[in-house]
């Protein structure tokens, strides 16, 4: 297929630098990228891999604080690097368009959606206003937005996130560009919304035969969208292959590791000895805002209960009730068979010690001004009255448990990697010697390979010390990997609770069905099959 | 699967060489722009004048000589004023009085405003509500106007009391701004997970304030201290210039400008005399410029650090 | 439109409540005076009955809250009471009403403030926006340093520099701003040039820095990047995407600095002996003429509150989230 005229974009040996800490650092270190007309390239990599920077460079654009220092960017026979800004501006929005991650922030709050949708058409004089507006409405329809005739006349804050993301796709498509850069367009969305947006985007790109670069960190998502996948790491290309081949036969060790989290499989088991029992919990942040309705959850000792739900399902509120930060309005919490005081201030030292928490963002969970030794040492002093040599010995033991060593003791959090930070948080929880640890999305901010390490560590600790976990997450893959039991929550209520095997196998209640089926799988045909099924 | 050769300790992280606090400061200083260096040297000079005024000044603060309006000479380097006091000596003592009083006032203002701000940020209950509303009302009156009204209403009899009155009035009025800032930055820290973690651990309020919050709000507070100091210093100088602040015979730059300002009109006839008023005036300006340069650099430094994350 | 209206009304109500508390504070200041202040006003030789009559006139025989409402009632009708000065121990009363003293001076001050604002506001906005657009360029860096120096200068120093240069050495403008009866409009402008110039210099620096910061903040928003990537030109990015969202921050900047003018006026009027209420207030503080101090304080505070309220209301009515509720 690939004749010379088919080649739309050809980037050679691209080098980009970013400015921080008073000097320039390389972000992209000599990457090649080429794209044919109508082709979709998936650009995948972990945070900091430089995928967004490379994607924007395909437009000849560098964010403030970045600069393109080397290479050639040929777009349809013209070298974007040699073009002046006004020249490039003629291409932007007409032949190359951009779809940003945060739709809510990327729309100007002061203008109607339709005016922003057709803006590029008007300033380039491609279409008269009336025609452009009719066309925008057609695009809204094609993207399956509700009420396509009217939705454009609303303002950005009046429309939901998933709809905004589709309007942004319409905006990019308005001038029928040759190339669209999608920069993590569904990352901020819930899974059930993500499916609809993915489907709409894929259909419209196919319909107009538009080439696209699809940037994401989620392999399962890119598998649905891309013809070809390029893997980036630390600003360098790891490998590139046609989608099916990449999924079935990755070559590089790093690429293989991206798949690996799915390979952990915990044998489920249960117990009648419950460490924690929530009975009939109602909770509210204010009198009018009720967030939990009659929640009953039981956590068997030494097992993992995964609490699954989308944003607003009440899963984090449940954690706040258990920790005592938000006393419930009705219902009771029993811990080790004893009633647990509802409010934090009424709990004694032992009760506080027995329930520990690990947070999603290890960055904000550790005081940036305290060293690792101070962070882990504090619960040792506080709960166990350890001082001096005894404390040091225990500290060293704890560091060993989390697979780190004594050399980390006097580091500050800013001197640790993301995975190491999360390990320190685990050690801080372990230091208290708790019966129950609540893990609030502990892996979702981490890169895949690091996630796997953290999950394995948690499983090993459970085996060794019989700790029970409540695992709050929205990620079904993680749930499959580590849980014994699953609780599914929706709008403050428990939809289903049971053993992993029961919950994950049909028949499902409606919501569980929707949730489970919306989770993208590492199969290029998944989205097609889903459409056929629904 | 790459679990076999994966090690958590080997994960790449930006490990910086461990440096002492002093060393880090030195590295920061070396990179400081010219304006910041200029500012720091000036501030140091003023501090020396302030601490060693009696040893540097050739004559006493309020010592009166026989000849008023004396020419510039060996004994009176800048001549004498209308009462026959040595202008150069009064300038040196002015550093002690004007800067010292402004510094004291700013410290008091931070003590009051910072303390209440911290408590309000952590407590977030009726106490926060009451303090915040009172501060809203106090801030609705321009501070110089408020100070003028209070100075008129509160009567004092001795010079010492009038200085104490001045310090308290300005400090209380200024503490409202310190309160707002402290509360705002502390609120940003209070919502952090590590503060919640400390609460869940069962830590006492005092410990959380001292160990978790205070170290993390220091950089903006230090910068604010510089800014507030400049503001307080200028306010006190302005009040003294108006004849309502530091009272004679205490040597003070604002008062000196007022006393020497009449000579500005003789500039055409006697350049030295005409320019005299600009010496204490310039002394005030130079210090605020210096402080602002240093604060500007400091803010740049700390906000640069924030951008990294 | 409804939510805009409710928010505006709420803001107005808040302004009135604030003004009420401020008036209470200003009123309460008199109560802080020592008990024998009437004696001090009238002089040591005052007769018993003169003191008694004066106390009665001030209403000191009545409880505080009644006095407050009487005072407030007067203030609302433009009656700020009678000045302390011009009274004699003998009981001969040549005192004038506060309103009568303040009125011409208030006009003079407003004239000076308006003259300053007309020059300073547009100039500061222009400089601030230009600096923000050429961020970290030569113009931006030099003007940032210049304004940093300029906000550090005490107003009186700037004033004397102008006097030395423009009045004494050059002799074009009077060093003292005397407004003679029957002065023409141009006479007024002529004597007000130096004070206005001083005020311009001290306010422009603040205003320019704040404008720059506000615009830089807006330029960093993702929707501005999006507009650029749609191929919108630099000029249109500013006009169509930045400005519609800039009214609220710009209004805040202007209000803040007009309020700052109010404070600067006190010092500058004193230096130039300009017959405005700033100088009147300083003189009255020296002579402890409380009715005048209170009236001036109330006028200054009222202006300040009003300006901030207008800025907030501009912010409310230009906020698309409130204009177009869900």
């Amino acid at each position: 297929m690939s004749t010379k005229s088919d080649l739309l974009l050809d980037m050679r040996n691209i080098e980009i630098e970013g400015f921080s800490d008073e000097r320039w650092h390389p972000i992209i270190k000599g990457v090649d990228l080429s794209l044919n007309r109508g082709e979709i390239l998936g650009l995948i990599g972990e945070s900091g891999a430089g995928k967004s920077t490379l994607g924007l460079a395909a437009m000849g654009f560098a964010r403030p604080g970045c600069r393109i220092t080397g290479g050639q960017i040929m777009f349809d026979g013209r070298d974007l690097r040699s073009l002046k800004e006004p020249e490039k501006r003629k291409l932007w929005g007409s032949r190359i368009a951009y779809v940003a991650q945060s739709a809510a922030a990327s729309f100007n709050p002061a203008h109607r959606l339709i005016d922003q949708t057709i803006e590029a058409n008007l300033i380039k004089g491609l279409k008269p206003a009336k025609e452009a507006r009719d066309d925008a409405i057609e695009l809204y329809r094609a993207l399956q937005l509700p009420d396509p005739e009217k939705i454009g006349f609303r303002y950005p804050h009046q429309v939901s996130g998933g709809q905004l993301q589709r309007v942004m796709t319409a905006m990019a498509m308005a001038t029928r560009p040759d190339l669209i850069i999608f920069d993590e367009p569904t990352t901020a969305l819930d899974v059930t919304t993500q499916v609809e947006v993915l489907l709409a985007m894929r259909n419209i790109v196919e319909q107009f035969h538009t080439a696209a670069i699809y940037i994401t960190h989620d392999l399962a998502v890119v598998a649905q969208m891309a013809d070809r996948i390029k893997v980036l790491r630390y600003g360098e290309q790891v490998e590139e292959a046609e989608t099916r081949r990449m999924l079935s036969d990755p070559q590089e060790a790093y690429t293989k590791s991206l798949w690996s989290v799915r390979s952990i499989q915990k044998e489920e088991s249960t117990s009648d000895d419950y460490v924690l029992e929530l009975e009939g919990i109602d909770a509210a942040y204010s009198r009018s805002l009720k967030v939990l309705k009659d929640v009953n959850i039981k956590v068997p000792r030494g097992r993992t209960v995964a609490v699954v739900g989308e944003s607003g399902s009440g899963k984090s509120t449940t954690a706040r009730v258990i920790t005592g930060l938000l006393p419930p309005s009705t219902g009771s919490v029993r811990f080790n068979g004893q009633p647990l005081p509802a409010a934090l201030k009424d709990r004694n030292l032992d009760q506080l010690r027995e329930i520990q928490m690990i947070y999603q963002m290890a960055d904000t969970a550790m005081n940036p001004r305290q060293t690792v030794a101070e962070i882990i040492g504090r619960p040792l002093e506080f709960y166990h009255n350890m001082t001096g040599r005894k404390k040091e010995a225990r500290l060293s033991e704890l560091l060993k448990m989390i697979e780190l060593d004594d050399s980390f003791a006097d580091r500050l959090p800013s001197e640790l990697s993301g995975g190491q930070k999360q390990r320190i948080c685990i050690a801080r929880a372990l230091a208290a010697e708790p019966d129950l640890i609540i893990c609030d999305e502990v892996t979702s901010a981490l890169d895949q390979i690091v996630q796997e390490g953290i999950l394995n560590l948690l499983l090993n600790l459970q085996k060794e010390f019989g700790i029970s976990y409540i695992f709050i997450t929205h990620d079904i893959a993680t749930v499959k990997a580590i849980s014994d039991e699953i609780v599914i929550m929706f709008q403050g209520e428990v939809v289903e609770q049971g053993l992993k095997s029961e919950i994950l196998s049909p028949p499902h209640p409606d919501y569980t069905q929707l949730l489970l089926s919306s989770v993208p799988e590492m199969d290029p045909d998944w989205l097609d099959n889903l459409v056929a099924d629904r | 699967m790459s679990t076999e050769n994966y090690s958590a300790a080997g994960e790449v992280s930006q490990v910086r060489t461990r440096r002492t606090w002093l060393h880090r400061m030195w590295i920061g200083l070396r990179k400081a722009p010219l304006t910041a260096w200029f500012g720091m040297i000036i501030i140091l000079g003023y501090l020396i004048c302030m601490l060693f005024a009696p040893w540097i000044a050739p004559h006493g603060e309020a010592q009166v000589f026989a000849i008023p309006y004396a020419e510039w000479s060996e004994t009176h380097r800048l001549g004498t004023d209308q009462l026959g006091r040595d202008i150069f000596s009064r300038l040196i003592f002015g550093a002690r009085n004007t800067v010292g009083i402004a510094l004291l006032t700013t410290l008091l203002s931070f003590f009051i405003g910072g303390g209440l701000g911290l408590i309000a940020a952590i407590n977030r209950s009726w106490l926060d509500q009451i303090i915040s509303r009172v501060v809203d009302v106090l801030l609705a009156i321009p501070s110089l106007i408020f100070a003028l009204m209070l100075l008129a209403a509160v009567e004092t009899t001795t010079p010492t009391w009038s200085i104490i009155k001045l310090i308290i009035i300005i400090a209380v009025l200024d503490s409202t701004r310190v309160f707002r800032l402290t509360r705002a930055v502390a609120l940003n820290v209070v919502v952090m997970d590590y503060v919640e973690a400390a609460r869940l651990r069962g830590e006492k309020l005092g410990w959380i304030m001292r160990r978790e919050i205070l170290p993390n709000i220091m950089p903006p507070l230090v910068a604010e201290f510089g800014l507030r100091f400049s503001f307080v210093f200028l306010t006190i100088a302005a009040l003294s210039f108006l004849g309502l602040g530091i009272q004679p015979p205490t040597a003070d730059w604002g008062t000196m400008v007022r006393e020497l300002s009449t000579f500005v009109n003789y500039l055409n006839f006697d350049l030295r005399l005409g320019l005299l008023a600009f010496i204490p005036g310039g002394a005030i300006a130079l210090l605020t410029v210096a402080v602002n340069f240093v604060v500007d650099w400091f803010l740049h430094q700390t906000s640069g650090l924030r951008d990294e994350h | 439109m409804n939510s805009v209206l409710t928010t505006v009304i709420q803001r107005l109500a808040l302004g009135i409540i604030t003004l009420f508390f401020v008036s209470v504070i200003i009123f309460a200041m008199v109560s802080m005076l020592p008990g024998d202040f009437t004696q001090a006003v009238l002089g040591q030789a005052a007769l018993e009955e003169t003191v008694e009559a004066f106390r009665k006139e001030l209403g000191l025989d009545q409880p505080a809250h009644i006095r407050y409402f009487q005072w407030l009632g007067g203030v609302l009708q433009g009656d700020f009471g009678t000045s302390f000065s011009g009274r004699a121990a003998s009981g001969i009363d040549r005192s004038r009403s506060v309103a009568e003293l303040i009125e011409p001076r208030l006009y003079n001050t407003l004239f000076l403030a308006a003259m300053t604002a007309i020059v300073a506001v547009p100039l500061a906005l222009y400089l601030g926006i230009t600096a923000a657009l050429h961020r970290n360029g030569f113009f931006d860096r030099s003007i940032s340093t210049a304004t940093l120096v300029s906000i550090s200068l005490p107003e009186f120093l700037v004033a004397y520099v102008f006097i030395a240069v423009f009045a004494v050495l050059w002799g074009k403008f009077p060093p003292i701003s005397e407004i003679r009866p029957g002065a023409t409009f141009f006479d007024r402008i002529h004597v007000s040039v130096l004070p206005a110039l001083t005020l311009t210099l001290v306010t422009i620096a603040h205003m320019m820095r704040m404008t720059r910061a506000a615009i830089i903040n807006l330029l960093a928003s993702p929707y501005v990047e999006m507009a650029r990537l749609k191929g919108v030109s630099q000029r249109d990015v500013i006009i169509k995407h930045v400005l519609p969202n800039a009214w609220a921050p710009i209004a805040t900047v202007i209000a803040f600095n007009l309020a700052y003018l109010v404070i600067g006026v006190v010092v500058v009027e004193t230096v130039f002996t300009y017959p405005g209420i700033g100088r009147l207030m300083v003189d009255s503080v020296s002579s402890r003429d409380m009715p005048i101090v209170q009236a001036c304080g109330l006028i200054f505070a009222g202006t300040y509150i009003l300006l901030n309220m207008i800025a907030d209301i501009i912010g409310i009515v230009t906020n698309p989230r409130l204009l177009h509720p869900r």
Side-chain angles (χ1 to χ4, degrees), chain B residues 275-294:
Chain B
L275 288 178
L276 265 186
F278 294 102
I279 297 174
I284 296 169
L286 193 62
L287 180 59
T288 30
V289 170
V291 170
N292 272 318
F293 276 159
V294 175

Side-chain angles (χ1 to χ4, degrees), chain A residues 332-508:
Chain A
S332 71
V333 183
R334 292 174 73 80
F335 193 78
N336 283 336
Q338 303 295 316
L340 193 65
L344 185 64
K345 62 178 191 325
D346 301 328
R347 297 187 184 173
N348 64 34
L349 204 59
D350 248 8
Q351 288 166 331
L352 292 170
R353 181 184 62 75
E354 280 161 348
I355 302 178
Q356 291 294 312
M357 176 121 182
I358 307 173
Y359 295 85
Q360 173 176 9
M361 306 297 291
D363 269 323
T364 60
M366 288 188 287
N367 189 332
R369 308 244 160 203
Q370 290 175 359
T371 61
V372 166
E374 288 173 287
I375 291 167
I376 305 178
R378 183 60 192 170
L380 295 177
E381 288 166 21
F382 191 76
Y383 294 125
H384 305 292
N385 289 321
M386 285 188 193
T387 47
R389 195 153 303 158
K390 209 168 151 200
K391 188 171 100 179
E392 264 171 49
R394 177 67 181 151
L395 184 73
S396 166
E397 235 174 82
L398 284 164
L399 283 172
K400 213 161 284 153
M401 277 185 218
I402 55 165
E403 296 155 22
L404 297 177
D405 55 53
D406 288 348
S407 70
F408 285 83
D410 59 352
R411 286 201 196 177
L412 289 170
S414 59
E415 296 161 337
L416 302 169
S417 73
Q420 288 163 352
K421 281 179 200 164
Q422 200 56 287
R423 281 168 195 266
I424 301 299
C425 289
I426 293 173
R428 175 171 65 185
L430 283 180
E433 294 169 26
D435 290 349
L436 173 71
I437 298 182
I438 301 171
C439 304
D440 189 358
E441 304 266 13
V442 288
T443 55
S444 61
L446 298 173
D447 297 336
Q448 302 268 8
I449 187 167
V450 182
Q451 282 190 16
E452 183 199 298
I454 297 282
L455 293 179
N456 270 328
L457 173 67
L458 287 171
L459 288 179
N460 290 340
L461 292 171
Q462 183 167 55
K463 245 180 261 165
E464 201 169 333
F465 303 106
I467 305 169
S468 321
Y469 296 128
I470 293 180
F471 225 92
I472 295 169
T473 184
H474 67 277
D475 180 20
I476 304 289
T478 309
V479 172
K480 284 179 184 160
I482 50 97
S483 66
D484 295 291
E485 289 193 13
I486 297 178
V487 174
I488 293 196
M489 293 189 73
F490 179 61
Q491 293 184 348
E493 287 178 85
V494 173
V495 178
E496 236 187 325
Q497 166 165 23
L499 282 172
K500 171 163 68 177
S501 54
E502 293 165 14
I503 301 286
L504 293 181
S505 51
H508 301 300

Side-chain angles (χ1 to χ4, degrees), chain C residues 23-45:
Chain C
S23 73
V24 170
I25 292 175
I26 289 176
F27 173 78
M29 298 230 175
V30 179
S31 326
M32 291 166 77
L33 288 175
D36 59 349
F37 82 96
T38 45
Q39 198 88 48
V41 169
L42 298 174
Q44 288 300 323

Side-chain angles (χ1 to χ4, degrees), chain A residues 10 29 62 83 130 166 175 213 216 308 364 522:
Chain A
D10 191 27
K29 307 162 190 163
L83 290 186
K130 170 84 176 63
R166 276 180 274 173
T175 54
I213 295 178
T216 179
V308 185
T364 60
M522 205 82 80

Side-chain angles (χ1 to χ4, degrees), chain B residues 250-308:
Chain B
T250 311
D252 148 76
W253 294 336
T255 319
M256 285 176 79
V257 174
R258 183 170 48 119
E259 288 169 353
L260 299 172
S261 65
T262 41
F263 301 134
V264 173
N265 292 318
Y266 305 124
L267 205 59
N268 281 331
F269 312 105
D270 186 340
L271 202 63
R272 281 182 179 178
L273 198 63
L275 288 178
L276 265 186
F278 294 102
I279 297 174
I284 296 169
L286 193 62
L287 180 59
T288 30
V289 170
V291 170
N292 272 318
F293 276 159
V294 175
V295 168
D296 197 53
W297 166 67
F298 183 80
L299 278 176
H300 206 267
Q301 284 286 97
T302 46
S303 68
L305 279 177
R306 205 179 51 227
D307 286 347
E308 257 178 40

Side-chain angles (χ1 to χ4, degrees), chain C residues 215-264:
Chain C
I215 298 291
I216 282 179
N217 197 14
L218 284 175
L219 283 175
S221 38
Y223 60 79
V224 169
E225 182 181 281
M226 190 74 216
R228 290 193 60 197
L229 291 175
K230 274 198 286 183
V232 180
S233 69
Q234 181 79 9
R235 208 191 91 227
D236 280 3
V237 167
I238 301 294
I239 294 174
K240 278 159 74 179
H241 290 273
V242 174
L243 273 188
N245 297 292
W247 296 122
I250 286 179
T252 311
V253 171
I254 293 176
F256 179 87
N257 287 282
L258 291 183
Y260 190 79
L261 250 182
V262 166
I263 303 164

Side-chain angles (χ1 to χ4, degrees), chain B residues 32-111:
Chain B
L34 221 59
T35 47
W37 270 108
F38 165 81
M40 281 183 281
I41 290 169
I42 298 284
I43 292 172
L44 194 71
Y46 275 72
L47 282 179
I48 291 171
C49 276
M50 197 178 125
L51 294 174
F52 304 107
W55 292 275
I56 298 172
H59 305 290
E61 180 179 2
Q63 198 179 348
V64 178
F65 292 87
I67 320 149
Y69 305 126
E71 290 278 313
W72 293 16
S73 66
E74 282 289 300
T75 37
H76 303 296
R77 238 165 278 175
L78 295 173
T80 56
D81 65 6
Q82 76 280 9
L83 294 178
R85 294 172 300 191
D86 182 55
I87 292 177
F88 181 70
S89 302
R90 284 181 73 73
L91 213 52
I92 303 288
F93 274 100
R96 165 170 282 196
N97 300 327
T98 318
V99 180
I101 288 171
L103 206 57
L104 258 165
T105 310
T106 319
L107 283 172
L108 184 61
S109 148
F110 266 72
F111 184 73

